[in-house]
Amino acid sequence: MLAMLLTTASLTAIFPFAWAPNGVQVAGGDVFVARGAGDGNGGALVTWLDENRNFGNQRDVASQRLLPTGMPAPGWPEGGRTFAVTDTSENPEGAAAGASGDAFWLFDRSYNDLDLYLSHTLASGALDPTWPARGLGIAVGRLIARFPLITPDGTGGVFISWQNDRIYSTVDTVLDARLLRVSASGALAPGWPAGGLLIAAANPGAGIQQIVPDGSGGCFAVWMHNQAGVGILGRAVRITADGTLSPGWPAAGVRICDLVSEQYLAEDVCAIPDGSGGIYVAWDDNREAPTSTGTGATTDIYMTRLRADGTRAPGWPADGLPLYQGLGTQWYARMCTDGAGGALVAWTNQRTGKPWISRVTPTGALAPGWQVGGNPLSSASGTAENVRLASDGAGGAYAGWVRSTPYDFAWAQHILADGTVAPGWTPGGAPLVELSVFHSEEYVSIFPSLPGSAIVTWSGYRDPNNYAASIRAQRLVPEGLVPTQLALHSVQADADGVRLEWWGVGATAQRYIVERSTDGLAWQALGDASGTSGERLTYEDRDVVAGQRLAYRLVDASGRVVVAAAWVEVPQVLEFALAGARPNPARLGALTVELSLAQQASGTLELLDLAGRRVAWRDLASLGPGRHTLPFPETASLAPGMHWL
């Protein structure tokens, strides 16, 4: 076993990025229904339905893991990896288990019954060999598993919820909401029943809309309950880590609002942690509509805060805190934390079509500088749909939505803690795609990335006569979208030459020149890097001498350095050795590791903390004999301390 002591100091993220103005393409062709989530390391997990290989009712469920740079994580192929083939999956969802890089994927398989399955992938993207090859059956049988949700449990496993539609006859359907906890090993967490914990039974409105981890291995479940003579009410319950009801909580859950009225109707309930063991809950409220059916001219936005014991936090009205009351329909309330114990809430003002946002403190008051009734997220024309938020970690938020103009475009905005638009962003927000061509964008997801930034994912197509689509992702930073740059992907060296590869969206769109140096001062132009695809550039230098130490960099036609220099030693004799890591200490997140392989074989390079936990790794099976240089951008998120290679 090879080991090397590596020292890391406090690291700041200074990366070359592979993002492009229209986002990095995650997958293309006959792909649709994109879902995005954070991977626990500042990157992204993206899952979608893929019909590139199948036709009719057969669909692949595919996924991809992106680094914060926008590049596929090591081991993940371009275009993603298929981990299930289904008769017809409708709702694929992904969730990261934690910083280890493994992930869970939830999907339905059967065409007639929509059976629910769960798969587990390792950090390399490979299916976990200890799990069933077709996935772990979660809800399988004579039922329809609707509205599945998945979220990490904070201990390496996941919570899963769904609504069972158990059809006992042609006219009788019984609905119930179920909740389950599964560990990384694929086993049910101790105390949890195999068929899931019954949260709400035989209720047409029973469908869990949010699972919120409680920080202690348990969770809150929030759902809608259809109560006769009253309407659809929002309810919440807290379940412990072992699947039992948390002390102080009634089995039927607590009502998120105490109002008893024929007019009261809660829709689109959303919940997030409050940072103190409880939850914030927001909803679209029809209490002023003329009937309990929800028809009428007014739908308002309300929210509340429930403590860990199920009681309402002091200062919060029993009937809910109104964020917007006025003419028109306000709908689809969504939230994120503000990083200071409060919450940000966004919604769509259907009367104007504009997205709005408000910030509330833990005491139920508006944050300083915020307007009563909310602040506009965008002044642009068109109708905003499905606004979603991600905290910027400084009291503000990034927002993503679909804007109809009249075509559907993915859109983004950055709002600061005081409710103003961030410098570098316009009052109208920023389109994530070119506006000069036809688009139909949908399925926008947004989530925090590296500190101060967020990643947004979406799917769509450009040609109204051709439904070939693409799944795309973009990184948002305080001053706007990230710039387009190339990144070094790999360097391989043996006695015959040095092979370099760079990665970046649209890499072949312009000319790039490879330069070489023996001292890092004088540089010699070798030739143009060649494009193997629209996103990869390669160059092979065969004019080398064994034992030489050479630096390579990439410049554009004007001589501007596009990718900084990488050093490589041409081996004299092929040997198996860990050559070193640079820089050491690693202060800027630009760590690269050099190693030499005598032959191609299976193996891994692991970065461990002092507790023996693996914080990053590379699969070496695809590398040939010779010297190799591997970048480790993950070091930007490491805490200061000693690490082992």
Side-chain angles (χ1 to χ4, degrees), residues 64-256:
Q64 180 62 281
R65 181 178 173 221
L66 297 178
L67 297 175
T69 60
M71 296 186 295
W76 290 80
E78 290 183 60
R81 187 184 301 280
T82 297
F83 63 88
V85 178
T86 74
D87 293 331
T88 175
S89 184
E90 295 183 353
N91 300 290
E93 300 278 356
S100 61
D102 61 327
F104 294 87
W105 309 93
L106 187 64
F107 58 96
D108 42 55
R109 184 183 295 280
S110 172
Y111 175 72
N112 293 317
D113 296 332
L114 296 184
D115 293 342
L116 199 60
Y117 284 81
L118 182 70
S119 283
H120 184 229
T121 55
L122 306 176
S124 64
L127 282 171
D128 189 332
T130 65
W131 280 54
R134 284 173 49 87
L136 180 69
I138 298 298
V140 180
R142 193 169 172 267
L143 55 85
I144 298 176
R146 299 184 184 275
F147 313 118
L149 294 175
I150 182 171
T151 192
D153 66 0
T155 63
V158 287
F159 292 109
I160 299 169
S161 70
W162 68 96
Q163 179 178 305
N164 277 348
D165 289 13
R166 296 186 179 275
I167 304 175
Y168 291 103
S169 69
T170 58
V171 296
D172 181 27
T173 301
V174 177
L175 311 181
D176 56 49
R178 300 272 171 171
L179 179 68
L180 194 64
R181 183 182 176 204
V182 179
S183 69
S185 66
L188 295 180
W192 290 78
L197 186 67
L198 179 62
I199 298 298
N203 192 306
I208 295 176
Q209 293 202 325
Q210 203 87 44
I211 310 170
V212 181
D214 65 4
S216 302
C219 70
F220 299 90
V222 182
W223 74 96
M224 294 188 300
H225 173 77
N226 193 349
Q227 183 170 328
V230 177
I232 298 179
L233 311 179
R235 289 188 177 273
V237 71
R238 185 182 180 192
I239 305 298
T240 66
D242 60 4
T244 60
L245 189 67
S246 183
W249 289 76
V254 299
R255 288 177 53 169
I256 63 174

Side-chain angles (χ1 to χ4, degrees), residues 45 127 136 211 246 277 304 327 332 342 373 393 434 632:
L45 294 173
L127 282 171
L136 180 69
I211 310 170
S246 183
T304 193
L327 296 176
Y332 207 72
E434 297 175 13
F632 270 75

